[in-house]
Amino acid sequence: MTDQPAAPLPLPEKALDTTPSRPWPVRVLSEKIRGYIDRMPPVWVEGQVVQFNQRPGSGLQYLTLRDTDLDVSLPVTVFSRILAVLPVAPTEGDHVVIHAKPTFWTKRGTFQLQASELRAVGVGELLARIDQLRRVLAAEGLFDPERKRPLPFLPAVVGLVCGRESKAEHDVVVNARARWPQVRFETREVAVQGVNAVREVSNAIAELDARPDVEVIVVARGGGSVEDLLPFSNEALVRAAAACRTPLVSAIGHETDAPLLDLVADYRASTPTDAAKRIVPDVSEERSRLVQARARMRGAVVSLLDREQRGLDGMRSRPVLAAPEVMIEWRERDVTQAVGHARHTLNALLLRAAGEIGRLGAQVRALSPASTLERGYAVVQRADGHVVRSPDDVTVGSGVHVRLAQGSLEAEVTAAGA
């Protein structure tokens, strides 16, 4: 009896059950992945169309949908009949929203989205999203005037971010060098629209910001449609500009354009030419100002010297300086006059006082008891000096002192009567 070969073992049902001795064949894993993805429901996805080339006569079209902020993309297939009913066929760079079913092709192991509906994102909706982002960033303070840094007066090196061989680069460089020929430019030519604009412009800003010799950075583009300027309202690019430590000038659009980069930049230029006029001074104008300033300074100094010379001449022409002894003579005459006046006044006062003294002396003498005594009267005093005015003031036999005009007498009272 011949031995029959052993029946193969059944494959594991789950990935966790696989082992080195019981692996899954590639076809099984592919089928498992397809089965898992097939269970996913259709989903609405937004992105930017890239790498889209229409194939006339083919029933299926292929395109790539890229994320608007990050470098992430997915392949998409869409039936030609779906594109045929659109008012305008999508082109590279368009923002679209698709309704697609995730699929997995087992033969090549590739993932893709099968689109059943495709809608272009309108300008109104894009502007509404930009306005919503503007409010969010404003609430974070990214547009506050306090964050704005002043531009240098005369930068030696200017960083320029612009499109490749663009007119904006020509406007900035030519006008800036016409105003100040010594200015140097560090130019970074990047994509200023399309799917790579956000990444390339952000990287260029960061690279120039890292250079210590670059004193100001200009991001320039010569205007465009709302769709063309969308990268400059992208949140990632706006935040990269806000993180830039070097003063940043935004010269993206024309006067009516208002991308969010204008709000976060330290200075918004209406055009690239305006940016050139703002970042460097006009050498001819500065020379003219210098000449005017020197003329004003010279005039001020000459006027000051003339004024001081006139003052000095006036001082020298005064008599006090022309003949200094005159001032002493004037003062000598004043002193002599004052001394004479003082003497005259003193003499008058002395005479008046002498007359007054004589008059008062005569009055005193007239009223003095001595004058009474000279007329023959006498003053009788007791021994204690009391003046006797009445016989009652003395007693018989008491001694009295009699004062006369030319001397005095000592007497004794022998009798007293009324």
Side-chain angles (χ1 to χ4, degrees):
M1 181 176 179
T2 304
D3 294 337
Q4 297 292 329
L9 295 175
L11 295 175
E13 289 295 327
K14 298 180 179 180
L16 293 176
D17 296 335
T18 59
T19 64
S21 58
R22 298 180 63 197
W24 273 350
V26 173
R27 64 180 182 278
V28 175
L29 177 59
S30 296
E31 288 295 332
K32 293 286 187 180
I33 294 175
R34 186 179 67 176
Y36 178 81
I37 292 178
D38 285 345
R39 290 195 296 272
M40 295 179 62
V43 59
W44 286 98
V45 183
E46 177 190 2
Q48 193 172 19
V49 177
V50 294
Q51 297 180 356
F52 176 51
N53 294 317
Q54 296 193 51
R55 300 179 179 180
S58 174
L60 199 63
Q61 303 292 336
Y62 297 88
L63 57 89
T64 301
L65 196 65
R66 183 185 180 277
D67 187 83
T68 56
D69 292 334
L70 301 178
D71 190 11
V72 178
S73 58
L74 289 173
V76 178
T77 58
V78 57
F79 290 108
S80 299
R81 55 182 173 80
I82 296 176
L83 298 178
V85 299
L86 296 177
V88 179
T91 59
E92 292 186 2
D94 288 351
H95 281 67
V96 297
V97 176
I98 65 172
H99 191 239
K101 176 70 172 65
T103 61
F104 186 77
W105 192 15
T106 58
K107 186 175 182 180
R108 293 187 177 179
T110 56
F111 174 85
Q112 61 187 18
L113 296 175
Q114 178 62 52
S116 59
E117 189 174 351
L118 189 147
R119 301 179 184 177
V121 177
V123 174
E125 185 176 355
L126 291 175
L127 294 177
R129 294 182 184 181
I130 292 174
D131 186 65
Q132 174 63 25
L133 178 60
R134 179 188 61 79
R135 290 194 294 268
V136 172
L137 298 180
E140 296 182 15
L142 264 64
F143 306 149
D144 291 348
E146 294 78 9
R147 298 185 70 257
K148 308 294 184 184
R149 290 173 293 269
L151 302 184
F153 170 71
L154 184 59
V157 180
V158 176
L160 177 60
V161 181
C162 59
R164 297 174 177 87
E165 299 181 356
S166 63
K167 189 176 184 300
E169 177 183 2
H170 175 271
D171 291 344
V172 174
V173 174
V174 171
N175 285 281
R177 286 179 175 164
R179 293 170 61 84
W180 197 270
Q182 287 76 19
V183 67
R184 294 192 299 110
F185 281 90
E186 279 293 331
T187 305
R188 299 294 181 269
E189 295 183 347
V190 298
V192 291
Q193 71 181 60
V195 294
N196 297 320
V198 173
R199 175 177 55 82
E200 293 188 13
V201 173
S202 299
N203 292 342
I205 292 175
E207 180 184 351
L208 293 173
D209 186 38
R211 291 180 60 104
D213 58 333
V214 175
E215 301 177 50
V216 62
I217 299 174
V218 179
V219 181
R221 174 193 162 89
S225 64
V226 174
E227 293 83 354
D228 293 339
L229 298 180
L230 282 179
F232 300 99
S233 293
N234 183 275
E235 182 177 1
L237 177 55
V238 173
R239 292 190 180 278
C244 180
R245 296 168 298 177
T246 306
L248 184 70
V249 176
S250 173
I252 299 304
H254 299 295
E255 191 66 36
T256 57
D257 299 325
L260 297 185
L261 183 63
D262 285 352
L263 302 179
V264 76
D266 298 297
Y267 179 79
R268 178 193 181 272
S270 58
T271 60
T273 301
D274 179 47
K277 294 179 179 179
R278 183 63 182 86
I279 59 176
V280 293
D282 188 346
V283 62
S284 59
E285 182 179 347
E286 294 302 321
R287 287 175 177 171
S288 175
R289 290 180 179 177
L290 183 59
V291 170
Q292 295 175 2
R294 291 176 63 183
R296 288 195 298 269
M297 292 171 60
R298 184 182 296 107
V301 172
V302 170
S303 176
L304 177 61
L305 291 177
D306 290 343
R307 185 170 62 251
E308 295 299 326
Q309 185 64 49
R310 288 193 299 270
L312 181 59
D313 294 340
M315 292 292 294
R316 293 174 61 186
S317 64
R318 293 181 180 180
V320 69
L321 292 180
E325 67 276 4
V326 173
M327 183 177 64
I328 300 176
E329 293 173 355
W330 288 349
R331 295 297 179 262
E332 182 181 9
R333 287 196 297 269
D334 292 343
V335 172
T336 302
Q337 293 175 0
V339 170
H341 180 70
R343 286 176 178 175
H344 176 73
T345 303
L346 181 59
N347 290 334
L349 290 175
L350 290 175
L351 290 174
R352 197 163 49 245
E356 184 68 18
I357 291 174
R359 185 182 63 79
L360 293 175
Q363 290 181 358
V364 171
R365 284 192 299 271
L367 298 175
S368 173
S371 61
T372 303
L373 294 178
E374 290 178 354
R375 293 198 300 270
Y377 292 93
V379 178
V380 180
Q381 295 177 305
R382 295 187 312 199
D384 57 2
H386 182 71
V387 177
V388 179
R389 293 181 176 84
S390 171
D392 297 334
D393 292 339
V394 297
T395 60
V396 177
S398 59
V400 294
H401 178 76
V402 180
R403 183 178 179 183
L404 304 175
Q406 298 299 326
S408 61
L409 298 174
E410 299 294 334
E412 182 178 347
V413 177
T414 58

